[in-house]
Amino acid sequence: DIVLTQSPALAVSLGQRATISCRASQSVSISRYNLMHWYQQKPGQQPKLLIYRASNLASGIPARFSGSGSGTDFTLTINPVQADDIATYYCQQSRESPPTFGGGTKLELK
Amino acid sequence: EVQLVESGGGLVQPGRSLKLSCLASGFTFSNYGMNWIRQAPGKGLEWVASISSSSSYIYYADTVKGRFTISRDNAKNTLYLQMTSLRSEDTALYYCAREGLTTEGIKGDWFAYWGQGTLVTVSS
């Protein structure tokens, strides 16, 4: 299985940029497709899709969220961070079955 | 508006069975692959099973293979997960999730919409 590694937590100040990383144990890219996706989960809520295929903003997601990366290294950026963005963020790969998730990065206020 | 509503969770003894349901609305259910994903208390997300739109393709995580069965009834807009031989490590919030769709109308293996989950607790 492809293992996705995320830092457990990231402290950020409101109005600043947050950069959340996800590293895969092997490439999750096929030709021009980067098969990494990002989700936001707030306490007591279901996950919500933010970004699909590394850089495509999901419907209804604010433009302060963006994604980048290819191969094994991917980044979710939130700029500027707002109070409503305090949550846990998960990456997920669909390059190989089974689909796997990172352990999650909890975004905290500094 | 896409809605996914899970039901069927509860407290069950180890070794027993339970069947979860997920009622879908707001989209053409028969056109989309569906998934079950679980989250143990305080833990991360684990994909459990997936089923294609016409039930032609079914996949399971190794941790549940041979014990869980995913199925769907497109006439009823409902996804199911039959769970047997339940273990304490199956205790989790179980979500159903729909596969994704690009702006160009191409389906993809990400989870675009999630239900609110149904809690399964396996304990004696």
Side-chain angles (χ1 to χ4, degrees):
Chain A
D1 298 3
I2 296 177
V3 176
L4 303 181
T5 301
Q6 297 181 247
S7 297
L10 176 67
V12 63
S13 301
L14 293 179
Q16 299 302 304
R17 176 196 306 261
T19 302
I20 297 171
S21 64
C22 177
R23 174 164 288 177
S25 59
Q26 61 190 79
S27 175
V28 299
S29 300
I30 304 177
S31 63
R32 63 188 176 99
Y33 295 116
N34 299 302
L35 301 178
M36 184 68 80
H37 324 291
W38 290 94
Y39 304 86
Q40 176 195 64
Q41 186 177 33
K42 297 178 182 178
Q45 295 187 17
Q46 68 268 53
K48 177 195 297 186
L49 176 69
L50 297 175
I51 301 284
Y52 64 92
R53 288 187 181 170
S55 60
N56 296 277
L57 204 61
S59 177
I61 301 303
R64 65 178 183 274
F65 291 91
S66 63
S68 63
S70 64
T72 61
D73 293 300
F74 295 85
T75 299
L76 172 69
T77 300
I78 312 170
N79 188 30
V81 170
Q82 298 186 1
D84 188 52
D85 302 332
I86 300 306
T88 299
Y89 293 85
Y90 294 93
C91 54
Q92 175 246 324
Q93 66 81 24
S94 58
R95 172 63 178 86
E96 285 187 359
S97 185
T100 51
F101 293 88
T105 296
K106 189 174 183 178
L107 190 64
E108 301 169 332
L109 284 180
K110 192 180 290 185
Chain B
E1 178 193 5
V2 172
Q3 285 199 321
L4 299 169
V5 180
E6 302 93 338
S7 60
L11 175 63
V12 62
Q13 293 179 328
R16 303 297 291 265
S17 300
L18 203 61
K19 187 172 186 177
L20 307 183
S21 300
C22 171
L23 178 62
S25 62
F27 65 101
T28 304
F29 182 71
S30 59
N31 285 352
Y32 290 88
M34 297 294 296
N35 300 267
W36 287 100
I37 297 161
R38 68 185 180 183
Q39 186 170 35
K43 301 297 184 182
L45 301 166
E46 179 189 17
W47 170 81
V48 173
S50 66
I51 185 168
S52 62
S53 57
S54 61
S55 304
S56 298
Y57 301 97
I58 289 175
Y59 304 96
Y60 297 99
D62 286 345
T63 51
V64 306
K65 199 173 297 181
R67 300 187 299 122
F68 290 11
T69 302
I70 189 173
S71 62
R72 63 190 297 162
D73 185 335
N74 286 344
K76 295 182 177 180
N77 289 348
T78 303
L79 175 73
Y80 302 102
L81 185 68
Q82 176 69 54
M83 304 184 293
T84 64
S85 302
L86 282 162
R87 307 167 179 167
S88 58
E89 54 265 37
D90 296 319
T91 294
L93 189 59
Y94 283 74
Y95 296 103
C96 67
R98 200 203 81 178
E99 72 175 337
L101 188 72
T102 69
T103 52
E104 296 84 15
I106 300 170
K107 294 173 193 172
D109 293 332
W110 56 91
F111 310 113
Y113 296 95
W114 301 60
Q116 84 289 347
T118 187
L119 182 62
V120 173
T121 303
V122 183
S123 175
S124 54

